[in-house]
Structure formats: structure tokens, C-alpha cells
Amino acid sequence: MNIMLFGPPGAGKGTQAKKLVDFYGFPQISTGDILRANVREGTELGLAAKAYMDKGELVPDDVLIGIIKNRLKEEDCKKGFILDGYPRTVPQADALEAILDEIGRPIDVVLNLEVHDEMLVGRISGRLMCKCGASYHIISNPPKKDRICDICGGEVFQRADDNAETVDNRLDVYEKQTQPLINYYKKKGILVTLDGRRGIDVVFNNIKGILAKFA
Ligand code: ADP
Ligand code: AMP
């Protein structure tokens, strides 16, 4: 099964992706996680991406298209994959179509998580992350042990871009550059919209119900 998690920053894409990885065993492809790993490792790509990420801007399309092309061709994606945070622009979506056509693995379903801006700001400002990609929240979803990731035992931290100055811009960028993709996938007949405001497990059960039709 080839799944795309779609929605604004803070909608819960990463949180649901991790649960889907556990449940189905498909790899999560998070472009945000890939970029952050490059920033941490100080690669050329990371150095170039950091300036955009710190401002809450999108990293240029050609960079992202290159990343996703290589990642989708890896062996572990043959059984299925979960896209998280890609595509974010129409050119990225067009490039994805071409790549998936080439490898013969189309997207089965786009899960669009709907959450209003006020809630997104609360989620993003309280988010804690681990470098393994696990996402927590200071209030609604804290790690079991203070500051320690439940999954890998690493230390959780606040993302550099999860600050008040950047959040507004990220929501703006989403609205202008990414939201148009809702229509793009609606027209293809593969978009399913979910109420992402509800609790993590309620949303997950909803997703499992939808995916049961594709298994
Ligand atoms: P995204 O990947 O879409 O940017 P995350 O999965 O990282 O979003 O979630 C953003 C924040 O909101 C995190 O702190 C996470 O723990 C929290 N969160 C995610 N889903 C829910 C939910 N359904 N209810 C409450 N908090 C949530
Ligand atoms: P995320 O972890 O998905 O919230 O992404 C964090 C940041 O990484 C974004 O604000 C962008 O700067 C960058 N990024 C992640 N995915 C993409 C993408 N598909 N296109 C452009 N920039 C991206």
C-alpha cells in the first residue's frame, strides 16, 4: 500500500506515520526528517537547506525532487511506503507522478488531516522531537520518561523551527503553496479528508478503517 499523509505543519502527519510504520511495516519517508538529518550531519545539502528551514520557507523543489527520487527507488519501498511532508508544491507533485509512473507504484490514498490554525500553533509550540523522528507534545503526548524518547532512548528536544516567529510563516507557506494540492488529489479521486483535531488514537483508528479498503 502506498500512502500519502497530507496536512499543514502540526496536523499530526509524523505522529500517525510512526503508528502506521508499527502497524503495517511500510517505511516512513519524511522529507523533514531527511533534511534535519542532513543539517545535523553538516552535509552540503543540510547546510543549503538550513537557511530555508529556519525561516519556515520551503527548500527549493529541485532539491526535494532529487531526495524523493532516490529514496523511492530503494528496496524497502517495494512493499509500500508512507509519504510524510512531500509533496508540498505542484511541481513536487508532478515530479512524484513521473517517478511513481516510472517505478509502477502509484499512490493508493492521500490522507488529508484537517486541523484549524489555532490548534496547529498549540501543537507546534509544544512539540518535542527525537532524532529518530518520534514526535511528542509537552502536554498532550509527553514521553513516558522526562525528556527521553520512548522508542529509541535518545534525548528529546525542541525543533529549531518550532518557534513563534517561524510558525506563522509556515502556516502561510502551507496555505499558499501546499494547500492547492488538496484539489490536485481530489481531482484524481484519491483524497480522503479526516478530522485531525481528535485524539491521536481516535485519528489512527479512523485511518485504519480507511486503509482496510486498500489492504
Ligand atoms: P506534523 O508531522 O504534521 O508536523 P506532528 O505529528 O509532529 O505533526 O505533530 C505535531 C504535534 O502535535 C506534536 O507535538 C504531536 O505530539 C502533537 N499531536 C499530533 N497529533 C495529535 C493529536 N491527534 N492530538 C493531540 N496532539 C497531537
Ligand atoms: P516538516 O518536518 O515536514 O515540518 O518540515 C520541516 C521543514 O523542512 C519545512 O518547513 C521546510 O523548510 C523543509 N521541508 C520539508 N519537506 C519539504 C518539502 N517537501 N518541500 C520543501 N521543503 C520541505
Side-chain angles (χ1 to χ4, degrees):
M1 206 176 350
N2 305 326
I3 305 161
M4 183 189 295
L5 285 164
F6 190 86
K13 301 181 296 297
T15 302
Q16 297 300 329
K18 282 274 175 287
K19 293 177 84 69
L20 288 169
V21 170
D22 283 351
F23 193 77
Y24 290 105
F26 305 137
Q28 170 193 10
I29 305 178
S30 158
T31 44
D33 286 350
I34 294 171
L35 291 169
R36 276 184 292 278
N38 276 276
V39 171
R40 257 195 319 275
E41 288 155 19
T43 66
E44 206 176 310
L45 166 65
L47 291 175
K50 190 176 184 317
Y52 296 97
M53 295 169 80
D54 284 349
K55 284 188 280 187
E57 297 291 337
L58 295 182
V59 175
D61 285 337
D62 55 339
V63 175
L64 268 297
I65 291 167
I67 292 176
I68 215 75
K69 196 172 200 168
N70 291 333
R71 183 64 188 89
L72 282 169
K73 286 182 178 170
E74 283 179 36
E75 194 59 31
D76 63 340
C77 292
K78 284 195 174 149
K79 58 187 172 189
F81 53 82
I82 304 157
L83 276 179
D84 159 13
Y86 184 99
R88 270 165 139 111
T89 64
V90 172
Q92 289 185 20
D94 286 340
L96 179 66
E97 285 269 300
I99 298 163
L100 295 179
D101 273 356
E102 189 189 324
I103 60 178
R105 276 178 241 138
I107 297 289
D108 293 300
V109 61
V110 177
L111 299 168
N112 175 32
L113 297 174
E114 255 186 359
V115 177
H116 57 79
D117 281 7
E118 197 188 328
M119 190 176 261
L120 294 173
V121 171
R123 285 188 183 179
I124 293 171
S125 52
R127 170 160 54 191
L128 296 171
M129 278 215 73
C130 176
K131 66 174 168 24
C132 77
S135 183
Y136 301 92
H137 191 274
I138 295 175
I139 296 161
S140 67
N141 181 29
K144 292 191 183 87
K145 278 196 212 155
D146 191 32
R147 298 192 159 272
I148 303 296
C149 175
D150 298 349
I151 296 172
C152 76
E155 196 174 344
V156 299
F157 55 89
Q158 186 168 38
R159 270 169 52 172
D161 57 344
D162 280 351
N163 58 64
E165 299 84 68
T166 312
V167 167
D168 280 351
N169 192 36
R170 282 158 71 198
L171 294 178
D172 223 39
V173 165
Y174 171 78
E175 201 180 305
K176 294 200 175 84
Q177 301 191 56
T178 308
Q179 200 160 262
L181 292 177
I182 291 180
N183 254 334
Y184 184 103
Y185 289 112
K186 213 182 251 175
K187 278 190 200 144
K188 291 188 188 295
I190 54 172
L191 186 92
V192 180
T193 294
L194 294 87
D195 183 353
R197 296 169 305 173
R198 295 166 305 166
I200 291 171
D201 289 331
V202 179
V203 176
F204 186 56
N205 281 331
N206 192 352
I207 289 178
K208 277 194 298 188
I210 293 162
L211 296 184
K213 295 173 204 141
F214 297 92

